[in-house]
């Protein structure tokens, strides 16, 4: 039996044709934010390590990957990934045309917008092991299960955060 | 009549390029100084001595062996150099060479080397002064586009990732960068250790140029079957079908 959803929210994934520089990522995220209706948002892409992770040069700092600060909706945070995908949940269908227009304004190349289910709804074992009982279910699916806690940046008007204590 | 080896079937541009790579008949596009290639490889400082694993062959007194008399050793083997490597990552977005074709090039054209192909990278091992020579040949020829190909000894991701905004292949360690003058500069060696000076690798190929020189079959470029909708597939796909059929039915035994 299929249970009808009691919410009209909509999950979408924006895949630009190229990886975004921090400047373009900032522009895109601000355009998305100004379109409104964003319940939650996640950026996804390959990791940008601060030091060489392995090999003969292990530990050598990578200056190019440092201080990639961007400011979205008045809050500054540091990018730790190359922005390749943006997944977000819109409050309703009415924000979709605006989202597409926002991407067209911000991205100088083509992109795809896919609808689907991109955030999980129940905590996984990894979520539980790392964060215990998560009170605000909106952060589910925003957490990379392999990421360290310092890789996590959550921006919200209501200050949704996760306690950063070590377990 | 002299025998001309036949390397790869097909009349598509990719088939022709694959033949060029395998035969070693590749066009020289740039000239990167040897010292710069050595610096990028990062195994020894330019001008430093080669480290060796054994004395030069002439001093060793080799046993009386007919094969050793017939096969002339490479310069590196004669001097007793260490084995070193050079590893390449080529973007699947129409890089001129793709891993297998660097390997074919190496196996067919380079004496005393050990090419290895992995899903997104390609490594050649050889005696140090030989591998320096082979690497320079690859850098200078049409097998390499400086934006879509780079030498990566470790952290090799990039082959199957989307390109960066400026058309460069993504590199986690930022070993190459696009200068304001449109040239690509190597700023780190192949394992990510910063170089003393930036090395100018020249201008990258345009997208059209890369598509012209590529050896990758892609549906949005040149597909393996040749022209889409044609009555007959290109010979490349027929040959592959034939080989797979033989291999599946009879373990590739010709009888």
């Amino acid at each position: 039996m299929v249970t009808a959803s009691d919410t009209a929210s909509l999950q979408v994934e924006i895949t630009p044709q190229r990886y975004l520089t921090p400047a373009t990522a900032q522009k895109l995220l601000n355009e998305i934010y100004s379109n409104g209706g964003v319940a939650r948002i996640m950026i996804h892409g390959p990791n940008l390590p601060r030091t060489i992770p392995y090999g003969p040069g292990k530990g050598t700092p990578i200056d190019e990957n440092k201080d990639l600060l961007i400011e979205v909706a008045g809050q500054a945070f540091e990018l730790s990934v190359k922005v390749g995908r943006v997944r977000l949940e819109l409050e309703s269908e009415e924000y979709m045309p605006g989202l597409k227009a926002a991407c067209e304004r911000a991205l100088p190349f083509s992109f795809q917008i896919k609808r689907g289910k991109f955030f999980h709804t129940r905590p996984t074992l990894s979520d539980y092991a790392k964060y215990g009982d998560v009170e605000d279910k909106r952060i589910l699916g925003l957490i990379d299960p392999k990421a360290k806690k310092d890789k996590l940046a959550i921006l919200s008007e209501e200050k949704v955060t996760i306690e950063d204590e070590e377990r | 009549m002299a025998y001309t080896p036949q390397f790869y079937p097909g009349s598509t541009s990719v088939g022709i390029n694959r033949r060029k790579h395998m035969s070693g008949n590749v066009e020289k596009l740039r000239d990167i100084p040897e010292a710069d290639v050595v610096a990028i490889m990062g195994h020894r400082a330019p001008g430093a001595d080669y480290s060796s694993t054994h004395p030069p062959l002439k001093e060793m007194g080799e046993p009386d062996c007919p094969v050793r008399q017939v096969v002339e050793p490479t310069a590196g083997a004669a001097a007793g150099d260490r084995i070193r490597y050079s590893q390449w990552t080529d973007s699947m977005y129409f890089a001129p060479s793709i891993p297998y074709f660097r390997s074919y090039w190496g196996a067919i054209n380079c004496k005393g080397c050990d090419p290895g192909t992995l899903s997104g990278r390609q490594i050649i091992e050889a005696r140090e002064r030989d591998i320096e020579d082979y690497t320079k040949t690859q850098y200078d020829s049409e097998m390499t586009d400086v934006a879509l190909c780079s030498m990566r000894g470790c952290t090799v991701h990039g082959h199957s990732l989307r390109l960066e905004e400026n058309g460069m292949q993504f590199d986690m360690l930022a070993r190459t960068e696009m200068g304001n003058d449109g040239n690509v500069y190597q700023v780190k060696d192949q394992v990510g250790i910063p170089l003393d000076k930036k090395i100018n690798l020249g201008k990258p190929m345009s997208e059209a140029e890369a598509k012209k020189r590529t050896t990758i079959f892609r549906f949005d470029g040149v597909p393996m079957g040749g022209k889409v909708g044609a009555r007959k597939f290109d010979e490349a796909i027929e040959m592959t079908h034939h080989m797979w059929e033989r291999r599946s039915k009879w373990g590739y035994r010709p009888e």
Side-chain angles (χ1 to χ4, degrees):
Chain A
M1 195 182 87
V2 178
T3 312
S5 169
D6 58 353
T7 164
S9 70
L10 176 73
Q11 292 182 10
V12 294
E13 182 184 69
I14 303 163
T15 312
Q17 194 200 12
R18 298 259 169 115
Y19 283 126
L20 306 185
T21 58
T24 316
Q26 173 173 302
K27 196 175 170 197
L28 175 68
L29 293 172
N30 279 314
E31 290 282 358
I32 291 171
Y33 186 82
S34 61
N35 177 47
V38 179
R40 47 185 170 161
I41 184 164
M42 183 185 95
I43 55 176
H44 173 269
N47 184 28
L48 294 175
R50 304 292 189 266
T51 56
I52 297 177
Y54 55 86
K58 185 176 177 179
T60 310
I62 307 170
D63 295 334
E64 291 82 350
N65 294 349
K66 282 184 182 163
D67 303 326
L68 303 174
L69 286 170
I70 63 171
E71 191 178 320
V72 180
Q75 291 191 47
F77 69 98
E78 195 180 353
L79 281 177
S80 58
V81 295
K82 192 87 188 168
V83 180
R85 285 191 181 92
V86 179
R87 291 174 179 170
L88 67 151
E89 184 169 330
L90 293 175
E91 284 165 4
S92 71
E93 178 75 38
E94 68 179 284
Y95 295 104
M96 260 313 266
L99 180 74
K100 198 175 168 201
C103 294
E104 278 167 0
R105 282 196 299 274
L107 297 175
F109 32 76
S110 64
F111 59 90
Q112 277 187 323
I113 297 185
K114 283 185 202 159
R115 295 171 187 225
K117 191 162 188 289
F118 301 105
F119 302 110
H120 54 257
T121 45
R122 286 186 300 169
T124 62
L125 194 63
S126 303
D127 289 335
Y128 183 76
K130 217 170 208 173
Y131 305 103
D133 283 327
V134 179
E135 283 179 17
D136 191 334
K137 300 285 186 221
R138 286 180 301 168
I139 67 166
L140 291 176
L142 301 182
I143 303 163
D144 176 1
K146 288 182 183 167
K148 300 215 170 82
K149 280 184 192 170
D150 57 1
K151 291 280 170 66
L152 200 68
I154 292 181
L155 304 175
S156 162
E157 288 165 353
E158 289 128 44
K159 306 279 180 218
V160 181
T161 51
I162 291 176
E163 285 177 26
D164 203 16
E165 64 185 45
E166 286 297 327
R167 284 172 191 276
Chain B
M1 195 175 78
Y3 170 70
T4 312
Q6 297 177 29
F7 287 110
Y8 195 86
S11 55
T12 57
S13 65
V14 174
I16 293 164
N17 290 339
R18 287 183 172 201
R19 278 199 285 280
K20 277 165 81 178
H21 283 220
M22 291 171 85
S23 65
N25 184 24
V26 281
E27 199 182 321
K28 187 172 173 177
L29 298 182
R30 58 186 83 81
D31 189 22
I32 295 171
E34 208 176 313
D36 288 351
V37 175
V38 170
I40 296 169
M41 290 177 73
H43 296 306
R44 69 178 179 104
D49 286 343
Y50 293 96
S51 52
S52 59
T53 50
H54 59 76
L57 291 180
K58 279 188 180 161
E59 294 174 17
M60 281 176 67
E62 289 198 279
D64 187 25
C65 164
V67 175
R68 287 172 200 240
Q69 285 160 16
V70 170
V71 180
E72 194 187 322
T74 62
D81 288 354
R82 265 188 75 163
I83 302 283
R84 300 290 199 182
Y85 70 93
S86 76
Q87 184 164 250
W88 290 84
T89 303
D90 302 279
S91 174
M92 67 172 203
Y93 286 96
F94 304 106
S97 203
I98 53 168
Y100 255 108
F101 284 83
R102 277 194 198 274
S103 276
Y104 280 130
W105 172 82
I108 296 166
N109 299 293
C110 302
K111 210 172 155 191
C113 79
D114 179 11
T117 314
L118 297 103
S119 55
R121 58 195 160 112
Q122 194 275 342
I123 186 167
I124 299 184
E125 293 176 0
R127 303 284 191 151
E128 190 159 3
R129 61 193 85 193
D130 301 336
I131 193 70
E132 284 174 2
D133 187 29
Y134 302 153
T135 308
K136 180 167 161 53
T137 309
Q138 292 184 77
Y139 249 128
D140 290 351
S141 75
E142 63 172 314
M143 295 170 69
T144 300
D145 169 29
V146 289
L148 299 174
C149 314
S150 63
M151 274 186 63
R152 301 185 184 184
C154 67
T155 324
V156 295
H157 314 299
H159 168 72
S160 61
L161 301 183
R162 278 168 283 162
L163 302 178
E164 302 213 26
E165 273 185 44
N166 56 11
M168 301 271 288
Q169 183 178 220
F170 172 75
D171 185 359
M172 204 178 255
L173 305 189
R175 278 163 278 217
T176 47
E177 65 181 31
M178 177 73 85
N180 293 329
D181 53 358
N183 288 319
V184 175
Y185 289 88
Q186 184 90 27
V187 291
K188 296 175 185 176
D189 72 5
Q190 65 171 334
V191 293
I193 298 169
L195 296 168
D196 296 337
K197 65 174 178 82
K198 289 183 180 181
I199 294 170
N200 187 352
L201 300 176
K203 289 207 170 7
M205 289 179 189
S206 67
E207 208 175 315
E209 176 83 1
K211 281 189 175 178
K212 198 180 94 185
R213 293 189 189 270
T214 190
T215 50
I216 191 167
F217 284 118
R218 277 178 67 114
F219 192 74
D220 54 355
V222 176
M224 198 174 185
K227 196 179 164 196
V228 178
R231 279 177 176 267
K232 201 171 178 301
F233 282 133
D234 187 63
E235 197 187 349
I237 210 165
E238 289 190 352
M239 180 273 293
T240 313
H241 283 168
H242 176 75
M243 279 170 60
W244 276 96
E245 188 186 12
R246 290 290 165 102
R247 186 168 143 162
S248 308
K249 287 181 179 168
W250 303 295
Y252 208 34
R253 287 167 62 199
E255 70 268 26

